[in-house]
Amino acid sequence: MTRRIGPVPGFTPAIGRMVAMLDQAREALLAAVEGLSTGELDHLYDAHSNSIGALLAHAAAVERWHQLLVFEDRTSPDDDLQAWLPALDLGDEGRKRLRGRDLADYLKDLAEGRRATLQDLAGRDDAWFEAPLPAAPSLNAHGAWFHVMEDEIGHCGQIRWLRARLPGTRKA
């Protein structure tokens, strides 16, 4: 994993730096879940926690929500996003519904979302990246994708914490 933040071929300078950061956050997330079974992904530490699988679903849902906001200028969910709402919101509904998927399913959703994000970002320039979003004028695309990265990093920390406490995990 490279730790250098800089231009990425195929993107304008500012967007390329954000893409480099998004890539690093994703690499850390993927490393944190490598090899987990469905049972481990579904495990709830306690009645108030989210499962690792739910947090992976959340990362994919946050990316999808920001695609709608940033690329499609929408602030209300469509039928497509309705299916993502338990993952976007987490909590009790997520604890009930976000279960029974294997790691490959979660990774597929994450990869498909990121592919779409990168495709859309590649067609934009830095002026667009810094301009207010029509659907949310107090935000720009730079801030929106920073939030996606920040959210993923935060949940990666939660996943590492939860993984270290899975039943049968040897404590340090």
Side-chain angles (χ1 to χ4, degrees):
M1 174 190 307
T2 179
R3 297 280 185 213
R4 185 175 179 275
I5 302 298
V8 173
F11 300 93
T12 59
I15 294 173
R17 285 188 294 278
M18 180 56 66
V19 166
M21 291 184 276
L22 287 166
D23 285 349
Q24 287 186 28
R26 181 57 53 86
E27 287 177 27
L29 182 69
L30 297 179
V33 300
E34 186 175 358
L36 290 176
S37 69
T38 301
E40 291 168 325
L41 292 167
D42 286 350
H43 178 74
L44 291 172
Y45 179 75
D46 62 30
H48 303 289
S49 66
N50 292 297
S51 68
I52 293 172
L55 293 170
L56 290 173
H58 177 75
V62 166
E63 184 144 3
R64 178 64 185 133
W65 170 247
H66 282 78
Q67 289 167 349
L68 294 176
L69 177 67
V70 174
F71 301 130
E72 299 177 28
D73 298 326
R74 293 193 287 155
T75 57
S76 59
D78 59 5
D79 290 339
D80 173 53
L81 193 61
Q82 291 295 328
W84 294 86
L85 288 180
L88 194 60
D89 296 338
L90 292 172
D92 290 335
E93 191 66 21
R95 279 187 279 285
K96 286 187 260 181
R97 293 183 53 194
L98 300 172
R99 308 186 60 69
R101 296 177 66 198
D102 66 18
L103 183 59
D105 288 338
Y106 291 112
L107 298 183
K108 180 180 175 237
D109 286 346
L110 289 164
E112 286 175 358
R114 184 54 50 87
R115 179 193 49 73
T117 295
L118 296 178
Q119 183 177 340
D120 277 329
L121 286 174
R124 311 294 175 131
D125 63 25
D126 288 347
W128 167 86
F129 196 53
E130 302 302 339
L133 294 175
S138 65
L139 185 64
N140 62 12
H142 195 157
W145 292 109
F146 175 83
H147 174 73
V148 171
M149 178 195 62
E150 169 193 42
D151 191 70
E152 196 162 304
I153 290 167
H155 291 307
C156 183
Q158 287 179 292
I159 288 169
R160 289 177 180 143
W161 189 93
L162 290 166
R163 184 175 187 153
R165 287 153 181 84
L166 286 170
T169 302
R170 200 168 121 199
K171 306 292 186 245

